[in-house]
Amino acid sequence: MQLKFSIIVPVYNRPEEIRELLESLDEQDFQEEYEIVVVEDGSSDSSEEVVKKFDDNLSISYYFKPNSGPGDSRNYGMQKAKGNYFIILDSDCILPKQYLSEVQKELNQEFVHCFGGPDAADASFTDVQKAINYAMTSLFTTGGIRGGKKSVGKFQPRSFNMGISKQAFEKAGGFGRIHPGEDPDLTFRIWKAGFNSRLFPKAFVYHKRRIDWNKFYIQVNKFGQVRPILNKWHPGTAKITYWFPTLFMLSLCFSIIVLLAGWVVPIALFGVYFLLLFIHSLVSTGKIKVAFLAIFAVLTQFTGYGMGFLKSTTLLNFSNREPEELFPKLFFKRK
């Protein structure tokens, strides 16, 4: 197919974020025509004036709609788009100048109807952002797939850096109302519709997460709550590895308890793991402070995800209520 890219960006009260993303799009080395569709999801702090400043340099359109969540906003943008291949980005991403060229290169070499790319930490990120990025992408955490591992079976793209053909979007029906988790849910329905997905390892973005430790815990806790719901909806996709953060958390608690009784071996094993994390993050980032913060970030990630996963699994298995009744905060209502 003759590719025509449409970049879809939902934004909610983040005009400064969208400015940085559009600046990085303005600096792309990509030579073909493409469009950008910005969808304002009911924001009180509008991005319209920021978007207008790029009218002369970029083919860009701006739409405002009532707040109904990022998934529904992406669907809205794809319905308005003129291209036949959609690239979905979060507003807190910054693109390296070769991003679009790498996407085109991958699609020309081996076309696929759905792709995902990794995220990386830019040198300008704060130490906390770098530590959280490490926790979310490292091979030593549950973020290994997102971090760019190539051999992962059927890759599950994430919507901060995701591509989907117009054909696959129309057949799969777009994003659902669950959030977070709308991206793997869509990917599973894309698979069921007969399409495949693939990782584009060189099509990475700098994901500038603007979150503190509390927000990070809430985010990963929601990730943990969502996964059992997805397992229930798509039973063939469930994996034993999804239990890892919960088992890690429970094992760490057990190790601390038995340490009080004089048994040091279990906690020593955790000590070895944390040492490996420290060394790997130090080598990866080159900063001792980030290496220490990375340990805390991983502990936050595993605890938040593990607690959410355990809670959701328990409620779903011992209640006759539907997920939307049990977890109303995980679902947006369409308007």
Side-chain angles (χ1 to χ4, degrees):
M1 96 173 37
Q2 183 66 37
L3 294 174
K4 174 67 183 296
F5 293 140
S6 293
I7 297 175
I8 315 298
V9 186
V11 60
Y12 180 70
N13 288 333
R14 300 284 180 87
E16 184 60 23
E17 279 187 356
I18 200 72
R19 180 188 63 79
E20 291 182 299
L21 172 57
L22 294 177
E23 285 176 347
S24 68
L25 281 163
D26 194 23
E27 296 173 356
Q28 291 294 297
D29 63 11
F30 189 63
Q31 299 301 312
E32 306 294 330
E33 291 185 3
Y34 66 94
E35 68 166 341
I36 303 165
V37 180
V38 176
V39 181
E40 190 93 60
D41 187 26
S43 301
S44 57
D45 190 4
S46 174
S47 301
E48 185 173 10
E49 291 303 316
V50 173
V51 172
K52 284 181 179 178
K53 293 178 180 178
F54 292 87
D55 279 344
D56 293 338
N57 295 343
L58 297 170
S59 175
I60 190 167
S61 55
Y62 171 89
Y63 298 94
F64 184 94
K65 54 175 280 298
N67 178 253
S68 58
D72 198 43
S73 296
R74 296 179 190 115
N75 292 341
Y76 183 93
M78 288 185 280
Q79 290 163 356
K80 295 290 185 181
K82 301 179 180 66
N84 58 11
Y85 206 103
F86 308 132
I87 298 175
I88 301 160
L89 301 170
D90 276 359
S91 61
D92 59 354
C93 289
I94 301 172
L95 308 184
K97 66 178 182 179
Q98 75 278 8
Y99 174 83
L100 287 174
S101 297
E102 291 292 346
V103 170
Q104 185 183 53
K105 185 187 302 182
E106 289 277 2
L107 289 172
N108 287 339
Q109 289 177 349
E110 183 184 342
F111 183 82
V112 69
H113 283 273
C114 180
F115 78 85
D119 56 333
D122 185 65
S124 64
F125 285 15
T126 67
D127 290 341
V128 171
Q129 286 174 327
K130 290 176 181 177
I132 290 176
N133 180 267
Y134 176 84
M136 296 292 283
T137 63
S138 172
L139 294 173
F140 289 97
T141 70
T142 57
I145 292 176
R146 188 181 295 186
K149 188 178 178 183
K150 294 182 180 179
S151 300
V152 293
K154 298 184 81 172
F155 182 70
Q156 299 177 27
R158 294 295 183 265
S159 53
F160 65 84
N161 181 11
M162 180 180 186
I164 176 175
S165 70
K166 183 177 182 179
Q167 182 182 355
F169 164 69
E170 293 176 342
K171 193 168 183 180
F175 291 95
R177 293 186 299 107
I178 194 168
H179 177 73
E182 70 275 17
D183 30 17
D185 173 54
L186 175 57
T187 300
F188 297 151
R189 286 187 281 109
I190 287 172
W191 294 348
K192 289 178 182 178
F195 303 105
N196 207 347
S197 60
R198 185 162 65 86
L199 171 67
F200 289 5
K202 293 184 179 180
F204 66 90
V205 301
Y206 298 116
H207 197 183
K208 198 171 185 178
R209 298 176 179 88
R210 289 171 171 83
I211 53 178
D212 55 28
W213 292 115
N214 183 57
K215 290 179 181 178
F216 180 51
Y217 177 86
I218 292 172
Q219 181 186 63
V220 293
N221 184 259
K222 286 183 176 180
F223 290 160
Q225 292 179 46
V226 159
R227 182 55 69 174
I229 298 173
L230 297 178
N231 291 345
K232 182 177 182 178
W233 289 350
H234 311 282
T237 64
K239 297 179 182 179
I240 192 66
T241 51
Y242 295 147
W243 278 96
F244 177 75
T246 302
L247 296 175
F248 179 95
M249 176 192 66
L250 295 176
S251 298
L252 181 58
C253 292
F254 172 79
S255 299
I256 294 172
I257 291 171
V258 298
L259 178 63
L260 300 175
W263 192 17
V264 299
V265 174
I267 200 69
L269 294 175
F270 278 99
V272 172
Y273 172 71
F274 292 133
L275 179 61
L276 286 173
L277 277 182
F278 179 84
I279 294 172
H280 186 253
S281 58
L282 178 60
V283 172
S284 301
T285 66
K287 297 188 69 174
I288 293 178
K289 182 180 178 181
V290 174
F292 279 113
L293 289 173
I295 295 174
F296 184 72
V298 171
L299 280 170
T300 303
Q301 179 193 39
F302 283 175
T303 303
Y305 188 103
M307 291 288 287
F309 187 89
L310 184 61
K311 174 185 176 182
S312 182
T313 299
T314 303
L315 289 176
L316 288 172
N317 282 292
F318 293 97
S319 172
N320 293 323
R321 300 167 66 190
E322 292 298 315
E324 191 165 353
E325 295 179 85
L326 293 169
F327 304 99
K329 293 183 179 180
L330 298 179
F331 293 85
F332 276 94
K333 296 186 183 298
R334 288 207 169 102
K335 298 181 181 180

